[in-house]
Amino acid sequence: MNEALRLQRHEDLGMMELAAMQKLFDSEYLSDFGRWNPHAPYGYSPADFHVLAFQGSVLAAHVGFQRRVISVGADEVLVAGTGGVLVDPRFRGTGLGGRAMRHAQKAMRDEAEAHFGFLGCRNEVVPFYESAGWVQVHATERCLSRADQKSVIVSQGGPTLICSSSRDASEWPNGDIDLRGTPW
């Protein structure tokens, strides 16, 4: 099957891409979270950039990220806050997720010019991200609630991961993290 990975800015998404994304996300999350909304995906921050991985005409994987300055300790850090990482079940285990993630990481550096990639995830998917070069950081994290976008949530549970972009992951500053908005 013909595979195509491409980066698309959110404002440049066409009806075809939006419909394909709706189908991919609704197939995974509709029963638990309702219909997907590209401008407020399940209360998470929307993506500025989308990596779309097609297998033939089927959108088989997606990685989204948003540029944002966050604070880490006393430092301001430009991150590519990553979310909406999803692979169609028919294509899981084929390496497509890793290829889509590497495509996104290159775009984080080359297009978004972010210092680091940044994401929060469930424990069971940490090995996937680590295999793509992400590393865990341990810090208290503050963000706005997905439910109302006003309440402040403070957590230490993680997992929180970063990846190198224009700066090496070893340069990640120490200190508490303030996302200055909702998570991705």
Side-chain angles (χ1 to χ4, degrees):
M1 190 171 284
N2 190 23
E3 181 175 290
L5 285 103
R6 68 174 190 255
L7 178 69
Q8 197 81 34
R9 289 183 180 269
H10 185 77
E11 64 267 15
D12 295 333
L13 290 170
M15 295 304 293
M16 182 196 81
E17 291 96 354
L18 288 168
M21 291 168 66
Q22 177 93 45
K23 183 176 179 180
L24 177 66
F25 281 94
D26 282 352
S27 71
E28 184 79 12
Y29 300 119
L30 180 64
S31 62
D32 292 329
F33 301 105
R35 293 190 62 77
W36 176 78
N37 176 339
H39 307 296
Y42 311 115
Y44 289 103
S45 293
D48 295 329
F49 296 89
H50 302 269
V51 170
L52 305 173
F54 286 89
Q55 293 289 331
S57 62
V58 175
L59 178 60
H62 172 271
V63 177
F65 61 91
Q66 180 192 70
R67 293 180 82 231
R68 184 188 302 164
V69 175
I70 66 171
S71 62
V72 182
D75 296 356
E76 291 197 332
V77 180
L78 176 60
V79 298
T82 305
V85 179
L86 183 59
V87 177
D88 182 309
R90 296 172 292 173
F91 300 98
R92 291 179 187 163
T94 66
L96 179 61
R99 291 190 297 278
M101 185 56 68
R102 286 188 294 281
H103 197 86
Q105 288 167 290
K106 182 178 182 328
M108 289 172 191
R109 181 184 61 251
D110 297 346
E111 299 293 325
E113 300 176 343
H115 299 148
F116 305 95
F118 184 96
L119 63 84
C121 66
R122 300 178 323 274
N123 281 314
E124 58 268 19
V125 294
V126 168
F128 164 75
Y129 290 112
E130 289 177 334
S131 74
W134 294 73
V135 295
Q136 286 193 60
V137 295
H138 302 281
T140 298
E141 182 180 288
R142 199 170 29 259
C143 66
L144 295 180
S145 167
R146 292 179 13 213
D148 65 13
Q149 289 80 39
K150 294 176 185 166
S151 302
V152 175
I153 306 294
V154 178
S155 67
Q156 296 178 333
T160 299
L161 293 94
I162 61 159
C163 71
S164 300
S165 192
S166 68
R167 293 175 55 188
D168 188 78
S170 65
E171 299 176 55
W172 181 260
N174 290 321
D176 292 347
I177 299 167
D178 186 344
L179 296 185
R180 298 182 177 172
T182 55
W184 297 279

